[in-house]
Every structure is written in structure tokens, then in C-alpha cells.
Amino acid sequence: MRPPEPHERDRRLRLMYALCAAAGFLVMARMAVTFVVRNADAGPWGVMRNFLRDATGNLASDFVYADLALTWAALGAFMVVEARRWRIRHVWAYIVGAPALALVVSFSVFMYVRQSRIAAARGTGPATATSAATSDTTVPATSHATVPATVPASKGPQR
């Protein structure tokens, strides 16, 4: 069996990332709404206080919280590097969105956008990607490939 064509692989990856983001959003939103409803009598600040208390109430939850925070930091670094590589704007919104929405949602959306940029660079992606390469190359715009530099013309020899 042949491997899928690049455009089919890009489409499948984008679909997978979109499904992960949607599923993550639905699961996390349901859990957040349930928590808020159960703690509504505490008021807005009380809900936050109760959440932080419950989230760090024992060593197991501290372990999970620390692991999540360190994963968020590592994925944030990855997103910054990849955003520069593929010219994805507003990478800060994906990083800040992780604790606001959920890490699974913000990272999946970032990966969807990243895969769209990769597909556009190949010439197989959606027409809405603005950073598509002008040729059929898969080399990102900021890779270490040798690119001729544009040197301004001088008026005479430099001394």
C-alpha cells in the first residue's frame, strides 16, 4: 500500500487536530461548567479560590498540576520556535489560551494552523494561508537554507 499523497496527509492531520481541539473543548467546557455550577454559591472569586484549593489539595494533584505546568512551558517554547519558522502570527494567544481554555484546545488549534502553513508551503493547502512559499518547496521561510542576500547598490567603493 502506498503512503498517502502530501495533500491527503495534510488534510488528515488538520482533521485530527481539529477533532482534538473540538473534543478537548467539549470535555473541558463540560467539566468547567459542572465545577462552576457546583460552586456557584461561593461567588466568582470563591469559585476561583475553590478551584485552586481543589487543584492543589494533595500531593497527587500537585504532581498533576506541576506536570501540566512544565508541559505547558515546553509546548510554549515549541510553539514559539515553530511560529517563527512558519510565520504564524500571535503565538502568544495560543500560549495564554492554554490556561484560559485548556492546553489540549490551544495546542491542537496551533498544530492545525501550523499544518495549514506547511500545506500552503507545499502548494497543497488552503488558499487562505498567507505565508505560502512562491515555489513548490517545503523549506520554511526561516530555515537554514542558503538564500542569496539582497545587497543595496553603493554609490562607489567603500573605504
Side-chain angles (χ1 to χ4, degrees):
M1 181 177 204
R2 291 184 350 209
E5 295 293 321
H7 69 279
E8 180 64 21
R9 186 179 62 222
D10 289 331
R11 189 184 67 74
R12 288 179 185 174
L13 281 171
R14 288 194 310 263
L15 177 63
M16 181 191 69
Y17 294 137
L19 290 174
C20 286
F25 177 78
L26 292 174
V27 168
M28 300 309 285
R30 181 183 172 275
M31 293 173 71
V33 167
T34 301
F35 187 85
V36 169
V37 167
R38 288 185 183 169
N39 291 276
D41 59 333
W45 293 110
V47 170
M48 291 299 297
R49 187 177 57 249
N50 291 348
F51 179 80
L52 292 173
R53 183 197 65 223
D54 291 351
T56 58
N58 59 49
L59 289 177
S61 59
D62 286 347
F63 173 82
V64 171
Y65 224 106
D67 186 51
L68 185 61
L70 293 171
T71 301
W72 177 39
L75 289 177
F78 171 78
M79 287 191 278
V80 167
V81 169
E82 288 297 294
R84 288 181 181 166
R85 180 177 183 203
W86 293 103
R87 295 185 179 170
I88 298 170
R89 298 178 65 196
H90 309 297
V91 69
W92 61 268
Y94 301 103
I95 297 168
V96 172
L101 294 169
L103 183 58
V104 67
V105 176
S106 65
F107 185 68
S108 295
V109 171
F110 174 82
M111 292 301 289
Y112 179 90
V113 172
R114 176 182 172 267
Q115 195 62 41
S116 296
R117 297 296 177 130
I118 291 170
R122 285 191 187 120
T124 62
T128 59
T130 57
S131 68
T134 55
S135 66
D136 283 337
T137 182
T138 59
V139 178
T142 59
S143 72
H144 297 288
T146 306
V147 178
T150 304
V151 180
S154 62
K155 293 183 180 181
Q158 301 277 330
R159 292 185 192 204

